[in-house]
Amino acid sequence: MRRILPCVLVLAACSSSGSTDQQVPAPANPAYDWAHFETTHRAPILPILVIDTGGFASVIPRDKIKARLKVIEKHDGTHGDLSTAPVALDLPIGINLRGSSSAGFLQRPYTIELHDDLNEGKKVPVLDLPPGEDFALVSCWTDKPCMRNALAYAMGRQLGRWNPKLRFVEVYLDGVYNGLYQMTEAVRQDKRRVDVPKPALSADLGDITGGYIIRREAGGKAAPTTIPIRDWLSPVKSVDGRQMVYTYHYPKEDKITAEQKAYIQDYFTRFETAMKEPTWIDPQTGYRKWLDVATVVDFVLMNEISNNVDAYWKSVYMAKQRDSLGGKMALSPLWDYNIAFGNADYRDGWKLDNVTYKMNRWGGECSAFLPTPMGCSACIRGDLNPGTSCWTMQYVPFWLDQLWTDPVYTGELKCRWLELRKGAFDMAKIDVQLEAWRRELGPAMRRHFARWERLLTYNWPNWYISSGAFDFDKFFDDEVDYLRNWTANRIMYLDKNLPGTCSK
């Protein structure tokens, strides 16, 4: 039985579960400014997005279709006659279905692109978010309290580089209430987002060395025969003969030139080849020549503190800087933590007492880029059958796994952990954040759960299930308490068990 009640079987003290009209704890000192963007929002009346697709709401495709967006910020909170509410923003948009497994949820996620009156992309400041053109509407489905992505990004923004901002919103599609969403800045090349320069189209036209944004998405985002090609197979094999698939993100697969493809593929080939050499650990010629190690350390710590079951093999973004600006590859920004923080019932995703990279070392993924291993009748995902090696691609890249064997690197992990425990990883600050969201989201959660009663029972891949299904407020409070107490106990475990020795 997977059910664990809040305030039971936990090591850390339980938070006080309050009603939705409770007061947000006041920041004790300026150190709490890390949460300013989130905790200053809002009275418990969320903005409303009204999207008119012209009748296509139930069949929004992968390719963008035209629609219209109205943003309502000021209303009485009852969701009565919205036609009389003042409209803060009214403009054309493109909208399309997004996500992999999440695209199959009953409450689907979408990407929206803000347009001008000529239906051209337009950067617009919306809901206090910095001006942008592309936003993700992330559904609150697998993550029942709808806080895990928000928590990861809020913590991530304290690490010294861009990570997405978001606003909680309620959405109507063609007049029908569709529940609570997170309107989130999408990962894009932009001075306000991933600030890497545009690479030249070719070496003859300028500096082709950066910047690029590359993704790791398990076995890739599309089949090898997809046109335009979205992914490529690295020619470098790990010790056990596995190879990695990487995905173009910026420039996009329909924009990237043949010379840009050749450059970034060659860069990864040379990097992975260097990681197989005996000198991979050398400070001058080894991984520090290729990787922005500070970003790797922060990326790893965020995945470890959240015990993210997708860690290191899905939703991994890598930004390659221009050579004249250092030329290194950063593991940044963070993305997709909705089944982290104890929210998965497979591959030890619910556990407090494990090291995530070890959890994801065994087994692997199947990829259409590679044939079934010899001696296997079929390719089988490693987490579905831990006793087999009939998979083609490891979860954790061999080069990322390898770093854990360098005591200098693990020492940096431990030192950074101790530093962040006084800031972004301070549980007192996280408590302030979660309580602010508890107050902000309470009334919307009643509508959300009434719209999607499926959420009041087991919903893949939840480990915890509240017993308060007949009381929406109790159900929501239980879910927040579980998230809070799991996070507190996870931090306590890593305080004692994170590998490495800080020599500072």
Side-chain angles (χ1 to χ4, degrees):
M1 184 175 183
R2 66 172 56 86
R3 180 175 296 161
I4 303 175
L5 295 179
C7 307
V8 179
L9 301 178
V10 293
L11 302 173
C14 288
S15 65
S16 58
S17 172
S19 64
T20 54
D21 60 354
Q22 70 186 81
Q23 295 299 308
V24 177
N29 57 59
Y32 283 86
D33 286 349
W34 75 282
H36 176 77
F37 178 82
E38 287 79 11
T39 56
T40 53
H41 298 300
R42 296 288 180 249
I45 298 178
L46 297 185
I48 296 172
L49 304 188
V50 179
I51 299 174
D52 181 4
T53 71
F56 290 95
S58 62
V59 290
I60 293 174
R62 290 283 184 181
D63 296 326
K64 280 189 175 65
I65 61 172
K66 294 180 182 179
R68 190 146 197 108
L69 168 69
K70 293 182 180 180
V71 178
I72 299 173
E73 295 188 65
K74 296 180 180 180
H75 55 95
D76 62 9
T78 66
H79 287 230
D81 184 5
L82 295 179
S83 64
T84 61
V87 176
L89 190 66
D90 183 351
L91 76 173
I93 62 171
I95 185 171
N96 64 278
L97 183 67
R98 66 175 289 115
S100 297
S101 57
S102 58
F105 298 161
L106 295 179
Q107 186 198 25
R108 294 179 175 178
Y110 303 102
T111 297
I112 60 173
E113 181 181 78
L114 307 183
H115 290 171
D116 59 21
D117 289 337
L118 298 177
N119 275 308
E120 299 290 336
K122 178 183 180 181
K123 293 180 180 179
V124 178
V126 54
L127 298 177
D128 297 343
L129 297 169
E133 183 177 316
D134 295 307
F135 294 87
L137 282 180
V138 179
S139 57
C140 297
W141 190 254
T142 53
D143 175 22
K144 292 178 180 177
C146 199
M147 294 183 182
R148 288 175 168 87
N149 277 334
L151 179 60
Y153 303 157
M155 295 167 72
R157 285 196 299 279
Q158 310 316 306
L159 305 181
R161 59 195 65 89
W162 180 82
N163 280 292
K165 284 188 172 72
L166 62 80
R167 285 292 306 273
F168 298 106
V169 296
E170 296 181 85
V171 173
Y172 284 81
L173 283 174
D174 288 351
V176 177
Y177 181 70
N178 213 54
L180 179 65
Y181 281 79
Q182 299 166 346
M183 185 173 181
T184 309
E185 293 179 293
V187 178
R188 295 291 185 266
Q189 182 271 347
D190 190 289
K191 288 187 178 297
R192 296 185 182 93
R193 298 188 185 181
V194 184
D195 188 11
V196 292
K198 296 180 179 180
L201 297 177
S202 70
D204 292 337
L205 297 176
D207 193 339
I208 200 172
T209 65
Y212 296 85
I213 306 173
I214 301 301
R215 292 163 64 174
R216 171 96 206 281
E217 293 290 354
K221 291 293 290 182
T225 54
T226 301
I227 302 297
I229 296 171
R230 297 194 66 180
D231 318 280
W232 85 88
L233 177 68
S234 170
V236 180
K237 294 184 179 181
S238 61
V239 174
D240 64 356
R242 316 288 180 175
Q243 294 164 264
M244 304 296 298
V245 170
Y246 297 103
T247 299
Y248 304 112
H249 186 75
Y250 174 79
K252 291 183 178 180
E253 67 275 5
D254 59 344
K255 302 291 185 182
I256 191 167
T257 68
E259 197 164 343
Q260 288 171 336
K261 286 183 180 180
Y263 171 81
I264 195 62
Q265 289 185 30
D266 177 67
Y267 174 87
F268 272 81
T269 299
R270 288 185 290 121
F271 161 62
E272 290 190 339
T273 300
M275 290 299 291
K276 294 184 67 177
E277 297 294 331
T279 56
W280 73 270
I281 205 169
D282 183 273
Q284 302 302 320
T285 61
Y287 67 89
R288 293 176 187 276
K289 173 184 175 182
W290 301 89
L291 295 174
D292 182 339
V293 177
T295 69
V296 177
V297 166
D298 286 349
F299 172 82
V300 166
L301 289 179
M302 279 302 307
N303 280 285
E304 294 296 329
I305 196 174
S306 62
N307 195 22
N308 183 10
V309 293
D310 284 347
Y312 314 122
W313 68 292
K314 282 185 177 180
S315 300
V316 178
Y317 284 90
M318 296 165 280
K320 197 276 178 188
Q321 189 55 275
R322 180 174 286 175
D323 283 357
S324 61
L325 299 174
K328 295 184 179 182
M329 181 171 67
L331 263 64
S332 180
L334 304 173
W335 191 256
D336 196 7
Y337 284 75
N338 61 349
I339 53 175
F341 295 101
N343 194 32
D345 62 359
Y346 66 100
R347 213 175 330 102
D348 295 347
W350 69 94
K351 286 189 175 181
L352 299 163
D353 59 347
N354 64 318
V355 179
T356 308
Y357 93 92
K358 291 182 179 179
M359 171 184 77
N360 279 352
R361 285 176 71 184
W362 55 264
E365 185 74 1
C366 298
S367 171
F369 282 84
L370 291 162
T372 301
M374 291 183 62
C376 299
S377 59
C379 187
I380 304 171
R381 265 178 47 189
D383 61 328
L384 298 181
N385 189 347
T388 184
S389 60
C390 293
W391 38 269
T392 57
M393 186 175 306
Q394 65 268 40
Y395 288 130
V396 181
F398 80 91
W399 49 266
L400 197 54
D401 185 25
Q402 203 165 296
L403 297 182
W404 291 84
T405 65
D406 177 12
V408 177
Y409 168 79
T410 57
E412 289 175 288
L413 277 179
K414 180 58 72 69
C415 288
R416 181 62 164 160
W417 173 263
L418 295 174
E419 177 187 354
L420 293 175
R421 286 289 284 113
K422 300 174 184 178
F425 294 178
D426 179 358
M427 195 61 213
K429 296 178 175 64
I430 293 172
D431 279 339
V432 170
Q433 183 65 87
L434 295 179
E435 290 307 309
W437 287 333
R438 190 199 300 263
R439 178 177 182 268
E440 181 182 357
L441 296 181
M445 279 295 177
R446 296 173 200 146
R447 286 185 290 271
H448 183 67
F449 291 145
R451 172 66 176 89
W452 303 110
E453 292 187 3
R454 175 73 176 78
L455 298 178
L456 301 175
T457 182
Y458 172 76
N459 195 43
W460 180 90
N462 301 151
W463 170 260
Y464 171 73
I465 306 169
S466 167
S467 61
F470 299 103
D471 182 337
F472 292 169
D473 290 341
K474 181 181 185 303
F475 186 90
F476 176 51
D477 276 338
D478 284 353
E479 290 284 347
V480 178
D481 285 343
Y482 170 75
L483 169 59
R484 184 267 166 202
N485 292 322
W486 186 94
T487 303
N489 283 292
R490 178 66 173 172
I491 289 173
M492 291 171 62
Y493 172 79
L494 291 175
D495 279 341
K496 297 179 180 179
N497 296 280
L498 185 71
T501 302
C502 183
S503 60
K504 287 185 181 179

mmCIF file of all heavy atoms in Angstrom, residues 394-411:
data_model
loop_
_atom_site.group_PDB
_atom_site.id
_atom_site.type_symbol
_atom_site.label_atom_id
_atom_site.label_comp_id
_atom_site.label_asym_id
_atom_site.label_seq_id
_atom_site.Cartn_x
_atom_site.Cartn_y
_atom_site.Cartn_z
ATOM 1 N N GLN A 394 21.562 4.054 -21.899
ATOM 2 C CA GLN A 394 21.535 4.205 -20.455
ATOM 3 C C GLN A 394 20.784 5.475 -20.054
ATOM 4 O O GLN A 394 20.722 6.434 -20.806
ATOM 5 C CB GLN A 394 22.959 4.230 -19.885
ATOM 6 C CG GLN A 394 23.797 5.406 -20.319
ATOM 7 C CD GLN A 394 24.610 5.129 -21.562
ATOM 8 O OE1 GLN A 394 24.128 4.491 -22.504
ATOM 9 N NE2 GLN A 394 25.831 5.612 -21.581
ATOM 10 N N TYR A 395 20.202 5.437 -18.840
ATOM 11 C CA TYR A 395 19.500 6.626 -18.344
ATOM 12 C C TYR A 395 20.477 7.772 -18.093
ATOM 13 O O TYR A 395 20.300 8.882 -18.568
ATOM 14 C CB TYR A 395 18.753 6.303 -17.047
ATOM 15 C CG TYR A 395 17.531 5.439 -17.228
ATOM 16 C CD1 TYR A 395 17.331 4.301 -16.453
ATOM 17 C CD2 TYR A 395 16.557 5.768 -18.167
ATOM 18 C CE1 TYR A 395 16.213 3.514 -16.613
ATOM 19 C CE2 TYR A 395 15.437 4.993 -18.334
ATOM 20 C CZ TYR A 395 15.256 3.857 -17.556
ATOM 21 O OH TYR A 395 14.147 3.081 -17.714
ATOM 22 N N VAL A 396 21.518 7.517 -17.288
ATOM 23 C CA VAL A 396 22.482 8.562 -16.959
ATOM 24 C C VAL A 396 23.607 8.543 -17.984
ATOM 25 O O VAL A 396 24.234 7.501 -18.193
ATOM 26 C CB VAL A 396 23.062 8.345 -15.545
ATOM 27 C CG1 VAL A 396 24.058 9.459 -15.194
ATOM 28 C CG2 VAL A 396 21.936 8.305 -14.507
ATOM 29 N N PRO A 397 23.907 9.662 -18.651
ATOM 30 C CA PRO A 397 25.037 9.679 -19.594
ATOM 31 C C PRO A 397 26.321 9.212 -18.905
ATOM 32 O O PRO A 397 26.578 9.579 -17.753
ATOM 33 C CB PRO A 397 25.130 11.155 -20.002
ATOM 34 C CG PRO A 397 23.782 11.723 -19.727
ATOM 35 C CD PRO A 397 23.247 10.980 -18.553
ATOM 36 N N PHE A 398 27.113 8.425 -19.616
ATOM 37 C CA PHE A 398 28.316 7.883 -18.992
ATOM 38 C C PHE A 398 29.224 8.987 -18.462
ATOM 39 O O PHE A 398 29.861 8.844 -17.419
ATOM 40 C CB PHE A 398 29.065 6.981 -19.981
ATOM 41 C CG PHE A 398 29.907 7.718 -20.995
ATOM 42 C CD1 PHE A 398 31.243 8.009 -20.735
ATOM 43 C CD2 PHE A 398 29.366 8.130 -22.213
ATOM 44 C CE1 PHE A 398 32.022 8.696 -21.667
ATOM 45 C CE2 PHE A 398 30.137 8.822 -23.139
ATOM 46 C CZ PHE A 398 31.474 9.109 -22.865
ATOM 47 N N TRP A 399 29.263 10.119 -19.161
ATOM 48 C CA TRP A 399 30.160 11.195 -18.742
ATOM 49 C C TRP A 399 29.679 11.887 -17.474
ATOM 50 O O TRP A 399 30.483 12.385 -16.682
ATOM 51 C CB TRP A 399 30.365 12.205 -19.870
ATOM 52 C CG TRP A 399 29.122 12.703 -20.555
ATOM 53 C CD1 TRP A 399 28.549 12.211 -21.697
ATOM 54 C CD2 TRP A 399 28.311 13.818 -20.159
ATOM 55 N NE1 TRP A 399 27.430 12.936 -22.038
ATOM 56 C CE2 TRP A 399 27.271 13.939 -21.118
ATOM 57 C CE3 TRP A 399 28.373 14.736 -19.111
ATOM 58 C CZ2 TRP A 399 26.286 14.926 -21.035
ATOM 59 C CZ3 TRP A 399 27.388 15.727 -19.025
ATOM 60 C CH2 TRP A 399 26.366 15.808 -19.982
ATOM 61 N N LEU A 400 28.360 11.902 -17.241
ATOM 62 C CA LEU A 400 27.841 12.504 -16.017
ATOM 63 C C LEU A 400 28.007 11.549 -14.835
ATOM 64 O O LEU A 400 28.348 11.960 -13.721
ATOM 65 C CB LEU A 400 26.366 12.867 -16.209
ATOM 66 C CG LEU A 400 25.730 13.842 -15.233
ATOM 67 C CD1 LEU A 400 26.539 15.132 -15.142
ATOM 68 C CD2 LEU A 400 24.304 14.155 -15.647
ATOM 69 N N ASP A 401 27.797 10.278 -15.107
ATOM 70 C CA ASP A 401 28.023 9.252 -14.083
ATOM 71 C C ASP A 401 29.494 9.245 -13.641
ATOM 72 O O ASP A 401 29.820 9.101 -12.461
ATOM 73 C CB ASP A 401 27.618 7.893 -14.663
ATOM 74 C CG ASP A 401 27.705 6.774 -13.649
ATOM 75 O OD1 ASP A 401 27.616 7.052 -12.438
ATOM 76 O OD2 ASP A 401 27.871 5.615 -14.067
ATOM 77 N N GLN A 402 30.380 9.433 -14.604
ATOM 78 C CA GLN A 402 31.816 9.363 -14.370
ATOM 79 C C GLN A 402 32.300 10.434 -13.389
ATOM 80 O O GLN A 402 33.253 10.230 -12.628
ATOM 81 C CB GLN A 402 32.518 9.547 -15.719
ATOM 82 C CG GLN A 402 33.922 9.009 -15.833
ATOM 83 C CD GLN A 402 34.322 8.945 -17.296
ATOM 84 O OE1 GLN A 402 33.725 8.192 -18.065
ATOM 85 N NE2 GLN A 402 35.291 9.743 -17.683
ATOM 86 N N LEU A 403 31.652 11.604 -13.397
ATOM 87 C CA LEU A 403 32.099 12.704 -12.551
ATOM 88 C C LEU A 403 32.085 12.336 -11.075
ATOM 89 O O LEU A 403 32.896 12.857 -10.289
ATOM 90 C CB LEU A 403 31.220 13.936 -12.781
ATOM 91 C CG LEU A 403 31.231 14.561 -14.181
ATOM 92 C CD1 LEU A 403 30.351 15.789 -14.220
ATOM 93 C CD2 LEU A 403 32.642 14.906 -14.622
ATOM 94 N N TRP A 404 31.171 11.442 -10.672
ATOM 95 C CA TRP A 404 31.059 11.079 -9.259
ATOM 96 C C TRP A 404 32.292 10.338 -8.752
ATOM 97 O O TRP A 404 32.447 10.161 -7.529
ATOM 98 C CB TRP A 404 29.812 10.225 -9.040
ATOM 99 C CG TRP A 404 28.524 10.974 -9.203
ATOM 100 C CD1 TRP A 404 27.868 11.226 -10.375
ATOM 101 C CD2 TRP A 404 27.746 11.586 -8.182
ATOM 102 N NE1 TRP A 404 26.727 11.942 -10.145
ATOM 103 C CE2 TRP A 404 26.617 12.174 -8.806
ATOM 104 C CE3 TRP A 404 27.871 11.685 -6.794
ATOM 105 C CZ2 TRP A 404 25.643 12.856 -8.086
ATOM 106 C CZ3 TRP A 404 26.880 12.361 -6.079
ATOM 107 C CH2 TRP A 404 25.792 12.942 -6.722
ATOM 108 N N THR A 405 33.160 9.908 -9.648
ATOM 109 C CA THR A 405 34.372 9.205 -9.210
ATOM 110 C C THR A 405 35.530 10.170 -8.965
ATOM 111 O O THR A 405 36.603 9.745 -8.534
ATOM 112 C CB THR A 405 34.805 8.163 -10.265
ATOM 113 O OG1 THR A 405 35.195 8.830 -11.478
ATOM 114 C CG2 THR A 405 33.675 7.186 -10.555
ATOM 115 N N ASP A 406 35.334 11.460 -9.238
ATOM 116 C CA ASP A 406 36.375 12.460 -9.027
ATOM 117 C C ASP A 406 36.162 13.106 -7.656
ATOM 118 O O ASP A 406 35.169 13.824 -7.447
ATOM 119 C CB ASP A 406 36.319 13.518 -10.120
ATOM 120 C CG ASP A 406 37.344 14.635 -9.925
ATOM 121 O OD1 ASP A 406 38.248 14.463 -9.075
ATOM 122 O OD2 ASP A 406 37.234 15.666 -10.612
ATOM 123 N N PRO A 407 37.055 12.899 -6.682
ATOM 124 C CA PRO A 407 36.856 13.474 -5.349
ATOM 125 C C PRO A 407 36.846 15.000 -5.351
ATOM 126 O O PRO A 407 36.247 15.611 -4.459
ATOM 127 C CB PRO A 407 38.040 12.913 -4.550
ATOM 128 C CG PRO A 407 39.035 12.471 -5.554
ATOM 129 C CD PRO A 407 38.269 12.073 -6.769
ATOM 130 N N VAL A 408 37.506 15.629 -6.329
ATOM 131 C CA VAL A 408 37.466 17.097 -6.402
ATOM 132 C C VAL A 408 36.046 17.551 -6.736
ATOM 133 O O VAL A 408 35.511 18.486 -6.139
ATOM 134 C CB VAL A 408 38.472 17.621 -7.438
ATOM 135 C CG1 VAL A 408 38.366 19.137 -7.562
ATOM 136 C CG2 VAL A 408 39.892 17.218 -7.048
ATOM 137 N N TYR A 409 35.423 16.871 -7.700
ATOM 138 C CA TYR A 409 34.046 17.194 -8.083
ATOM 139 C C TYR A 409 33.077 16.957 -6.930
ATOM 140 O O TYR A 409 32.245 17.820 -6.615
ATOM 141 C CB TYR A 409 33.654 16.363 -9.302
ATOM 142 C CG TYR A 409 32.178 16.383 -9.625
ATOM 143 C CD1 TYR A 409 31.602 17.458 -10.291
ATOM 144 C CD2 TYR A 409 31.359 15.308 -9.266
ATOM 145 C CE1 TYR A 409 30.249 17.473 -10.585
ATOM 146 C CE2 TYR A 409 30.005 15.313 -9.563
ATOM 147 C CZ TYR A 409 29.452 16.403 -10.218
ATOM 148 O OH TYR A 409 28.114 16.416 -10.504
ATOM 149 N N THR A 410 33.138 15.805 -6.277
ATOM 150 C CA THR A 410 32.220 15.530 -5.170
ATOM 151 C C THR A 410 32.473 16.484 -4.009
ATOM 152 O O THR A 410 31.541 16.835 -3.273
ATOM 153 C CB THR A 410 32.328 14.075 -4.697
ATOM 154 O OG1 THR A 410 33.681 13.781 -4.318
ATOM 155 C CG2 THR A 410 31.884 13.119 -5.787
ATOM 156 N N GLY A 411 33.734 16.936 -3.843
ATOM 157 C CA GLY A 411 34.004 17.956 -2.838
ATOM 158 C C GLY A 411 33.303 19.264 -3.161
ATOM 159 O O GLY A 411 32.772 19.948 -2.273
#
